[in-house]
Amino acid sequence: MGRAFGRWLLWLVLAGLALQLYFLAGIALMAVLDPHSTAFQRSEAWRVATASVRGETEWRWRQRWVDGEQISPHLWRAVVASEDAGFFEHGGVDWEAIEKAWQKNERRQEQAERRAARNPNGTAREPKVVGGSTITQQLAKNLLLSGERNLLRKGQELVLSLMLELVLDKRRILEIYLNSVEWGEGVFGAEAAAQRYFNKPAARLNAHEAARLAVMLPSPRFFETRQGSAYLARRTGTIVARMGDVKLP
């Protein structure tokens, strides 16, 4: 029994190591080859395709890889200013941001429990979960992982983030992110987003347009149908003001 368990444990460890080597090899290839799709994109393509077959929605898919030089520097700065101001300083994981997000989520959970206790017969509303993910972590998750939320997946995300930072430079990480991130239903990458919302190539985005796209990123499908949102306009102005502080490598 003990030997069988030991062999099983050994095979499990070897399988885990093999998986990490597979991920590392895939990331190393990204240093010279452009990843034209991600795990998240493939999952979304399947979802949109099956929904269109059922007649629930029309098939719509916009995605086109462009080199970093074909993306406006305004968008590079806007995304960093909005999503991860410390991107060029941290090593892939912002531990302080994760700790702050954890504390905020705990406070919101406690507040939700107090509300539920005061109104036991009311409809319980789940508290909004705040993330502390960096751009590198978001890229790691979208590139290679599923959309599940659990500690094992989060741990793998952290490992992949460190691999990305080890193998690729910051500019390459951001270039891949800008070409793969979601900007609406079936809209992926800076070029597709610029054409969808402003009818122009990503290279020609001005500061205001770039900031507006950056502000959409946490909830792209939500803001896609709320382009006149007061919050979107207000937050766009804030990001434009911050963009001057972002120095690109």
Side-chain angles (χ1 to χ4, degrees), residues 49-192:
T50 53
S52 65
V53 169
R54 292 195 298 263
E56 297 172 2
T57 184
E58 292 183 8
W59 169 257
R60 187 181 71 188
W61 193 263
R62 300 186 185 204
Q63 178 189 13
R64 181 189 163 204
W65 178 281
V66 294
D67 291 336
E69 291 74 19
Q70 294 177 271
I71 300 175
S72 169
H74 293 305
L75 188 59
W76 290 68
R77 294 188 178 93
V79 168
V80 171
S82 179
E83 291 289 284
D84 184 4
F87 173 70
F88 292 111
E89 284 74 48
H90 63 62
V93 180
D94 188 338
W95 299 107
E96 184 178 348
I98 290 177
E99 183 180 0
K100 288 180 179 178
W102 183 279
Q103 293 171 350
K104 185 175 288 187
N105 289 331
E106 283 189 328
R107 288 196 299 271
R108 289 186 175 184
Q109 182 63 42
E110 291 171 359
Q111 292 168 357
E113 290 172 356
R114 286 197 293 270
R115 286 195 300 269
R118 289 196 299 267
N119 187 18
N121 298 322
T123 302
R125 187 176 66 180
E126 287 293 323
K128 182 179 178 181
V129 177
V130 177
S133 296
T134 64
I135 285 174
T136 309
Q137 286 175 260
Q138 293 176 49
L139 179 60
K141 177 182 66 176
N142 292 340
L143 272 175
L144 300 163
L145 300 176
S146 70
E148 294 178 306
R149 290 193 175 190
N150 54 56
L151 287 177
L152 183 62
R153 192 205 62 79
K154 191 66 177 179
Q156 181 64 79
E157 177 190 302
L158 294 177
V159 172
L160 289 174
S161 299
L162 297 176
M163 287 182 184
L164 283 166
E165 294 278 345
L166 177 67
V167 176
L168 307 178
D169 62 35
K170 290 286 189 178
R171 191 171 180 88
R172 180 59 171 167
I173 290 171
L174 191 52
E175 179 185 35
I176 296 173
Y177 179 83
L178 290 172
N179 272 290
S180 61
V181 71
E182 182 185 31
W183 254 300
E185 181 79 14
V187 181
F188 287 90
E191 183 67 18

